[in-house]
Amino acid sequence: MILSTRGRYGLKAMFELGLHYGKGPIPLKIIAERQCIPENYLEQLIAILRKAGLVKSVRGAQGGYLMLRPPDQVTVAQVLLALEGPLAPAECVADPEAPRCRLADECVTRSVWEKIRVSIHDVIDAMTLQHMIEEQLHLHAPTSKHPKE
């Protein structure tokens, strides 16, 4: 399963908004530049995220976009599901409410697809934007290791 650019770029945009949380709105152009996302495409993604209640726009000279909730209250799942829809390795396990395939009870791979779907959701439901921010800060933190002279 490969996420589309909608999910990948949208999550990067939300990460950037999370880094900027509490500091006021950030212009779309800045998000696009920092995360290497085409600005026109980013406008489309932000519209979806706005409809999902994850971001809001602020008009004016100092306007831009900001997250509606703190990064520790926004999960990766919320972002990806808003942009991608159901995440699953096969259609037969994407929607538990959908009619089951006539071969579902005998299907040798259905249980594998279901376990993969559950594992994906376990990870993205547990991970917040704050986790992503902390991981990024940890990756770029100065180390105290000095070579011995």
Side-chain angles (χ1 to χ4, degrees):
M1 184 179 93
I2 298 175
L3 294 174
S4 72
T5 54
R6 287 172 71 156
R8 295 192 320 265
Y9 288 176
L11 187 57
K12 288 169 69 171
M14 288 296 290
F15 168 82
E16 191 65 40
L17 288 167
L19 282 174
H20 205 74
Y21 183 79
K23 300 174 187 169
I26 182 169
L28 212 58
K29 181 179 178 89
I30 300 295
I31 298 169
E33 287 173 1
R34 289 183 183 166
Q35 293 299 324
C36 300
I37 303 169
E39 190 173 352
N40 291 341
Y41 190 40
L42 183 56
E43 287 176 13
Q44 297 170 35
L45 301 178
I46 289 290
I48 296 167
L49 294 168
R50 194 174 68 239
K51 286 178 186 169
L54 295 171
V55 300
K56 78 172 190 173
S57 62
V58 177
R59 294 179 182 245
Q62 301 299 316
Y65 290 87
L66 43 85
M67 286 181 24
L68 289 174
R69 292 179 305 210
D72 66 346
Q73 293 179 19
V74 179
T75 66
V76 170
Q78 291 168 323
V79 176
L80 292 179
L81 293 173
L83 294 162
E84 296 278 355
L87 298 176
E91 279 188 45
C92 64
V93 296
D95 181 4
E97 303 299 317
R100 290 177 55 156
C101 163
R102 64 180 176 81
L103 301 174
D105 292 332
E106 295 87 30
C107 183
V108 296
T109 56
R110 190 173 198 286
S111 66
V112 174
W113 308 147
E114 181 62 25
K115 287 175 184 174
I116 292 170
R117 186 192 68 77
V118 168
S119 294
I120 289 168
H121 282 274
D122 285 349
V123 171
I124 65 174
D125 287 338
M127 184 174 270
T128 65
L129 294 177
Q130 186 63 42
H131 290 122
M132 291 176 61
I133 291 166
E134 289 168 5
E135 283 182 21
Q136 185 69 13
L137 293 174
H138 178 72
L139 286 174
H140 296 290
T143 59
S144 60
K145 295 179 183 178
H146 297 285
K148 296 196 176 195
E149 296 176 19

